[in-house]
Amino acid sequence: MMRQLVIVVMIVIANKNLKRRENYRKPVIAGNWKMFKTRDEALFFILQVSEAMPSSKDVETIVFAQAPLMRCLIKRQGLNLKIGAQNLFYEDEGAFTGEISGPLLKSYKVEYVLIGHSERRAYFYETDEIVNKKIQAALRNTLRPIVCVGERLEERENNLTEKVLERQIKGAFEGVKAIDMKNIIIAYEPVWAIGTGKTATAEMADDACGFIRNEIEKLYGKLIAEEIRIQYGGSVKPENIEELLSKENIDGALIGGASLDPDKFIAMANAAVK
Ligand code: PEP
């Protein structure tokens, strides 16, 4: 009798562990350096943080740097830190002066590329259609996109957040195959929280990430929706990251300003180790 009870308990524990592993989404902490840091400053940062990054078994950490820095940073990135690109063009080659091609990034062994950041949408007129073409270009070149979506302040104030997110998600993933979704991360970044010091509350961020997950489920089904990683971005810093990451639908952070400081970046990467 006792033996049977022990076996039942062991089966229950094993099932629970299996379930936990099935639902496990490895956190991804990414720094968006925007148009900051010279070559020397960037190298100094990498030198300071590389050794202090948590194991890539527990957390994925990425720094998105300006394109000319790719080559020298990738050579020194270390085992637990990846260097990503902030942008790519949707054609693979041609007369597009100043643009960055997917094949070039690939030749530098870049793995991740940011697509649809609100600054690119606002200052470089990137529409949902362009975002979609860029995602296709990234996937064609076996790059992994972090796709940014998020509402502007007036849209939130007019209760349009979900409408905007729905439009951005549908537009971004038009024609993207289910099999490619495993290579995609989504970053929910409310525009009003970027670089402003105003963070969405953890509940607001979790609700929006949950809504996005739901939209992905409508497009691709439950399994893909449960597996896709969704980050929050918008004035994340060491003081608020733990609360944000404790939420069910938030699988990491995309960090601008605070990622420029090596000590803060180390602290935030380590906060993601559960
Ligand atoms: C960003 O650049 O994506 C961002 C979220 O910036 P910040 O953390 O400075 O708000």
Side-chain angles (χ1 to χ4, degrees):
M1 181 66 186
M2 190 59 187
R3 205 163 154 248
Q4 278 166 327
L5 191 69
V6 170
I7 290 170
V8 169
V9 169
M10 279 168 71
I11 290 171
V12 169
I13 291 173
N15 271 343
K16 262 200 176 150
N17 284 342
L18 198 67
K19 190 104 210 110
R20 218 176 283 147
R21 231 175 297 139
E22 272 169 13
N23 292 340
Y24 177 70
R25 298 185 292 262
K26 189 192 285 185
V28 50
I29 301 298
N32 172 20
W33 281 356
K34 312 186 192 227
M35 207 176 71
F36 290 101
K37 292 201 190 290
T38 61
R39 181 178 176 275
D40 287 352
E41 288 164 352
L43 283 172
F44 188 53
F45 179 102
I46 299 299
L47 202 71
Q48 283 176 292
V49 308
S50 286
E51 296 298 309
M53 286 294 103
S55 164
S56 57
K57 283 195 210 116
D58 300 321
V59 188
E60 224 178 326
T61 52
I62 314 165
V63 162
F64 288 96
Q66 295 177 74
L69 292 171
M70 283 304 102
R71 189 157 171 264
C72 71
L73 296 190
I74 277 177
K75 278 201 273 183
R76 295 167 175 90
Q77 66 191 345
L79 275 181
N80 298 320
L81 179 67
K82 290 172 182 164
I83 307 301
Q86 295 178 7
N87 187 25
L88 91 168
F89 192 54
Y90 53 73
E91 296 291 346
D92 284 352
E93 62 178 9
F96 304 106
T97 304
E99 289 295 336
I100 303 150
S101 79
L104 176 74
L105 294 176
K106 199 63 221 164
S107 71
Y108 282 154
K109 303 210 170 5
V110 171
E111 187 177 336
Y112 281 104
V113 59
L114 275 186
I115 295 180
H117 192 279
S118 65
E119 285 151 19
R120 296 223 46 98
R121 292 181 192 252
Y123 305 134
F124 304 99
Y125 312 106
E126 289 192 5
T127 59
D128 293 331
E129 198 189 341
I130 292 174
V131 168
N132 175 257
K133 283 174 148 185
K134 289 188 171 198
I135 293 173
Q136 307 271 10
L139 294 171
R140 188 162 71 232
N141 288 292
T142 60
L143 297 160
R144 308 174 86 184
I146 294 192
V147 180
C148 305
V149 294
E151 79 287 359
R152 288 178 284 129
L153 184 60
E154 61 271 32
E155 291 165 337
R156 177 158 283 265
E157 285 173 349
N158 287 306
N159 287 325
L160 292 172
T161 300
E162 294 191 348
K163 249 204 162 91
V164 170
L165 293 178
E166 185 185 350
R167 192 205 71 223
Q168 289 176 335
I169 292 290
K170 277 194 182 142
F173 297 115
E174 170 86 50
V176 174
K177 296 193 193 90
I179 191 147
D180 287 323
M181 292 307 285
K182 64 178 180 307
N183 290 317
I184 285 176
I185 295 172
I186 299 173
Y188 167 61
E189 298 209 304
V191 182
W192 49 270
I194 297 180
T196 58
K198 286 186 203 154
T199 324
T201 64
E203 286 70 30
M204 277 157 87
D206 189 48
D207 282 353
C209 291
F211 177 82
I212 292 168
R213 202 175 294 289
N214 219 38
E215 289 303 298
I216 294 296
E217 182 174 341
K218 284 193 217 156
L219 295 175
Y220 294 103
K222 202 169 175 57
L223 193 64
I224 289 177
E226 271 175 8
E227 282 176 0
I228 197 158
R229 290 180 292 174
I230 304 176
Q231 298 173 294
Y232 166 76
S235 299
V236 177
K237 45 191 181 244
E239 295 76 16
N240 60 19
I241 193 163
E242 267 179 47
E243 196 191 353
L244 288 159
L245 295 185
S246 71
K247 295 293 172 191
E248 192 186 334
N249 284 298
I250 303 178
D251 308 313
L254 180 55
I255 307 147
S259 75
L260 295 167
D261 178 315
D263 292 333
K264 289 184 183 172
F265 191 67
I266 292 169
M268 291 185 287
N270 283 293
V273 182
K274 300 242 167 71

